[in-house]
Amino acid sequence: MLWLESDRMGFLIDAVSQKKFEIQRSTVKNERGQNYDNRPYGLIYEKKWAKHYSHKVIRIHGKP
């Protein structure tokens, strides 16, 4: 099963290039700007969730 999956994923190597990646990245940045960053209350939910979940950090060996 893993061999079949790796063979299928091997075809994606040529499908993704740095240029195509940058195009998609700029598209996502543009959509985020339109939907969240440039709206009056666009970031309120992002800040709300960050505030609510920032205190639930698991500390390992007493380190902050």
Side-chain angles (χ1 to χ4, degrees), residues 18-47:
Q18 188 65 31
K19 183 178 177 183
K20 290 180 182 179
F21 175 76
E22 292 298 330
I23 290 170
Q24 291 300 318
R25 186 177 191 178
S26 66
T27 303
V28 170
K29 284 183 176 181
N30 186 21
E31 289 176 358
R32 178 177 167 82
Q34 289 177 352
N35 294 325
Y36 297 103
D37 296 336
N38 296 334
R39 288 193 177 180
Y41 297 103
L43 297 176
I44 196 160
Y45 291 110
E46 189 173 299
K47 291 181 180 183

